[in-house]
Amino acid sequence: MSAGPTRRTPLDRWTFSIEGAVHQPLSWTWDEFRALPRATVSVDIHCVTKWSKLDTSWTGVSIDTLLDLVTPRGTFVLALCDGGYTTNVPLDDIRGGKAWIVDEYEGEPLDPEHGGPARLLVPHLYFWKSAKWIESPTPLDRDEPGFWEVRGYHDRGDPWREQRYQGD
Ligand SMILES: Nc1nc2c(c(=O)[nH]1)N[C@H]1C(S)=C(S)[C@@H](COP(=O)(O)O)O[C@H]1N2
Ligand SMILES: [Mo]
């Protein structure tokens, strides 16, 4: 499900950067991004409308790898996407082996419909936090609600606590 049209960005025009509350802002071309250390993970994902999909396989770059390069100062991250979608996550929810920028699903390039060239994957939170067509996971020193969060979705979105809406 998407809040706008599927983005179709050619790889030579793809941009990815980390700016904001960081000591060392950085940007990557597609080739530079693909040269970073990669990981494949098998995880369960949870949609807010109750379905879960078990044991899905994704490949990409760990958020830890990226954060080590930029050294964040903030405590939150606002994911900014091509097309204007945003979603917020506490920094501690995406570091420590919990989140990735993925560009492959089940060993194949990630479909544009599902966020390709690359999306954020935060499997332990509801799937609206897994921002498709991500351009910048931006560390901030304050929490700033994203697209669905300003429309009433829960600020954190922990499926085990059924944190669907504000107040859950
Ligand atoms: N850029 C962007 N990312 C997004 C969305 C969106 O509308 N735009 N929708 C979110 C929501 S609500 C869900 S459920 C998942 C859907 O991912 P899928 O299309 O791969 O199933 O993407 C999330 N990431
Ligand atoms: Mo969703």
Side-chain angles (χ1 to χ4, degrees):
M1 191 214 152
S2 298
T6 294
R7 319 304 300 179
R8 293 179 190 277
T9 306
L11 295 179
D12 61 357
R13 294 218 329 265
W14 183 78
T15 59
F16 184 77
S17 62
I18 307 183
E19 293 155 57
V22 296
H23 288 285
Q24 175 68 50
L26 284 176
S27 68
W28 293 264
T29 64
W30 179 253
D31 290 342
E32 289 165 347
F33 181 81
R34 292 281 303 188
L36 291 168
R38 294 170 65 76
T40 296
V41 293
S42 289
V43 294
D44 301 341
I45 53 179
H46 310 278
C47 180
V48 72
T49 53
K50 294 187 176 23
W51 57 261
S52 294
K53 202 165 175 180
L54 305 182
D55 212 23
T56 60
S57 164
W58 307 81
T59 304
V61 177
S62 166
I63 292 286
D64 296 312
T65 299
L66 297 168
L67 292 180
D68 282 349
L69 296 169
V70 300
T71 320
R73 287 186 279 106
T75 45
F76 289 88
V77 167
L78 186 64
L80 309 179
C81 302
D82 186 8
Y85 184 84
T86 58
T87 188
N88 56 318
V89 280
L91 190 60
D92 282 342
D93 263 318
I94 60 165
R95 70 176 158 201
K98 295 201 284 281
W100 297 265
I101 302 293
V102 291
D103 55 28
E104 291 178 35
Y105 176 72
E106 304 291 347
E108 300 288 336
L110 186 59
D111 276 343
E113 288 77 9
H114 294 294
R119 78 183 296 167
L120 178 63
L121 175 68
V122 195
H124 75 286
L125 299 180
Y126 276 126
F127 212 37
W128 86 80
K129 298 289 187 181
S130 290
K132 303 195 277 191
W133 315 298
I134 191 164
E135 288 187 327
S136 297
T138 305
L140 300 175
D141 48 27
R142 62 184 191 287
D143 192 15
E144 191 175 305
F147 179 88
W148 284 118
E149 293 83 7
V150 299
R151 288 163 176 79
Y153 274 32
H154 196 275
D155 202 60
R156 177 153 181 269
D158 182 343
W160 303 109
R161 298 179 184 174
E162 302 205 30
Q163 292 173 338
R164 293 190 175 88
Y165 306 105
Q166 304 291 345
D168 281 354

